[in-house]
Amino acid sequence: MTSKKIDKKDPYAALRYKEFNTFLFLRFAMVFAWSMQFIVIEWEVYSITKDALSLGIIGLMEVIPAVSLALFAGHIVDQKEKKGLLMKCIFAFSIISFGLFLLTWPAVVGGISNQIILYLIYFLVFLGGLVRAFLGPTIFSLLSLIVPKKVYPNAATWSSTVWQIGSVVGPAVAGFSITLMGVHWSLCLVFACSVMALLALSQISEKPILNPKIGEPVMQSLAEGIKFVFNNKTVLGAITLDMVAVLFGGAVALLPIFAQDILKVGPEGFGFLRAAPAVGAFLTMLVTAYVPLSKNAGMKLLTAIFGFGVCIIIFGLSTLFWVSLLALFFSGVFDGISVVIRQTILQIKTPDNMRGRVSSVNSMFVGSSNELGAFESGLTARLMGTVTAVVFGGSMTLLVVLTTGIISPSFRKLDLTKDIEEHEKKN
């Protein structure tokens, strides 16, 4: 990677590195494939069962292995070369997506009962959780090796933006492809995207292992990673707040119910509803490439998650498609602000030799809360009804934000401007 003089105000600083652009392409391909696959599987499972809890079980099947292996995965990531490890993760995902493709092929499963097919789907989702435990920390660590430290904040913004683009396009394409091609061929498209990601990764060179403690005992390594996160109040506060908000605001897990039974908009409407939050987040992240969120970051993060909770409540109460669509769109706007601030905190505050472990702890808090939130939403929907469950989740989000703002004045006053300036001076 050639040395370049980067203007710290340049919104395209990270994009001036060729490998970073390749990285963005493969990240888009993987996010698109993963989000599209999740949507298609949600639709298929609910079509088979007509049971809200079955949607929650999808999330639970993925989160159990992802959480169980998260810390161990972080240790492995910090010990291994990142490109090779990511190659193995994407290859494993390709096998899983091909397995789901076969499970929805009538010629293959024509004589198998729906119950067995359902169990096999859950099993492959479980295997996907194993892969995800390694995938997230590996991508997070590889990013820091592709661009210089002075452009970490800009790279984090663009990486998050591409993640949101994949989250926008994946669900939207899923909704339309279910109608146009059916579930089976939709999953074939997912498999094709994973293959493209593998081809893109081959264009990135191997990176050095920056961990000076190669061969460090596993338990000692894990303890060091956990200790760092819990001793850094800024990192801990940000990921904990976001985790609880996502956990109780997981209304998107119930979208198949809203699309089929409440709003009655079919798979096309389902695709729009599922994509609306990501559209909002994507547009927000484009703006943040020009308007940084580092100043008064703590108050902005609290405000964003509060707004997210309000939008979830509005969505839960709405019976009009356009109102529901707008509520989900603005929930994505607020979520986009949260993601950018959190990613900036993690990239700046995390030492190079601990990125895998810190990312794993983050995935336990935030990443896995999406699936736990899906299970919580499915369970509460079964117990108290779909609409009540969504309103309850949004209300709990508001309560958490207000409590955090009251008991943690230091978090309200968090400002990352000086941290970023000092970081740039050192690099």
Side-chain angles (χ1 to χ4, degrees), residues 56-357:
I57 292 175
I58 296 175
L60 190 63
M61 286 296 99
E62 185 170 331
V63 78
I64 289 175
V67 171
S68 300
L69 284 179
L71 292 178
F72 175 73
H75 166 76
I76 296 298
V77 170
D78 284 335
Q79 297 277 321
K80 300 294 183 180
E81 194 277 318
K82 309 303 181 288
K83 176 189 173 181
L85 192 57
L86 183 56
M87 187 76 72
K88 294 175 183 176
C89 290
I90 298 177
F91 182 74
F93 173 81
S94 300
I95 295 176
I96 292 169
S97 64
F98 188 72
L100 290 169
F101 168 73
L102 294 178
L103 276 179
T104 55
W105 193 351
V108 174
V109 297
I112 303 176
S113 69
N114 283 342
Q115 194 69 22
I116 293 177
I117 292 174
L118 184 65
Y119 290 151
L120 290 173
I121 289 175
Y122 286 152
F123 174 70
L124 289 177
V125 171
F126 181 87
L127 294 181
L130 296 176
V131 174
R132 205 192 75 178
F134 291 87
L135 183 65
T138 306
I139 288 178
F140 179 80
S141 300
L142 182 61
L143 169 61
S144 66
L145 298 173
I146 290 177
V147 297
K149 293 183 179 180
K150 66 178 68 178
V151 298
Y152 277 0
N154 184 255
T157 297
W158 282 110
S159 180
S160 298
T161 299
V162 167
W163 183 88
Q164 289 295 345
I165 294 175
S167 298
V168 169
V169 180
V173 171
F176 286 108
S177 67
I178 290 172
T179 301
L180 298 175
M181 301 188 296
V183 169
H184 174 58
W185 291 110
S186 297
L187 290 171
C188 182
L189 179 58
V190 170
F191 173 71
C193 288
S194 66
V195 173
M196 286 192 291
L198 279 174
L199 294 175
L201 182 57
S202 67
Q203 302 303 307
I204 296 178
S205 62
E206 292 188 358
K207 304 301 177 185
I209 303 173
L210 301 180
N211 186 359
K213 298 181 179 180
I214 298 299
E216 180 182 18
V218 175
M219 296 309 297
Q220 180 179 330
S221 172
L222 301 186
E224 185 180 358
I226 295 173
K227 182 179 178 181
F228 172 82
V229 172
F230 279 86
N231 285 343
N232 191 309
K233 302 303 181 184
T234 301
V235 173
L236 181 63
I239 63 179
T240 301
L241 181 63
D242 208 43
M243 175 200 71
V244 177
V246 174
L247 176 64
F248 288 110
V252 291
L254 302 177
L255 284 184
I257 302 175
F258 279 89
Q260 294 187 37
D261 301 335
I262 296 176
L263 300 174
K264 301 184 185 302
V265 291
E268 297 92 343
F270 173 59
F272 280 116
L273 289 171
R274 193 60 177 80
V279 172
F282 164 58
L283 294 178
T284 299
M285 289 179 179
L286 286 181
V287 173
T288 59
Y290 297 88
V291 183
L293 298 174
S294 54
K295 188 175 181 59
N296 299 321
M299 198 63 199
K300 288 176 180 175
L301 184 58
L302 289 169
T303 302
I305 298 178
F306 186 89
F308 174 82
V310 171
C311 290
I312 293 301
I313 293 174
I314 294 173
F315 169 76
L317 295 174
S318 170
T319 56
L320 299 175
F321 177 67
W322 68 270
V323 174
S324 301
L325 202 63
L326 283 176
L328 290 176
F329 170 81
F330 282 106
S331 76
V333 170
F334 292 120
D335 187 49
I337 295 173
S338 170
V339 168
V340 170
I341 294 175
R342 190 178 72 253
Q343 288 299 313
T344 301
I345 290 173
L346 290 178
Q347 286 291 350
I348 291 176
K349 298 288 186 180
T350 305
D352 287 331
N353 65 309
M354 297 184 67
R355 291 187 180 277
R357 283 164 288 177

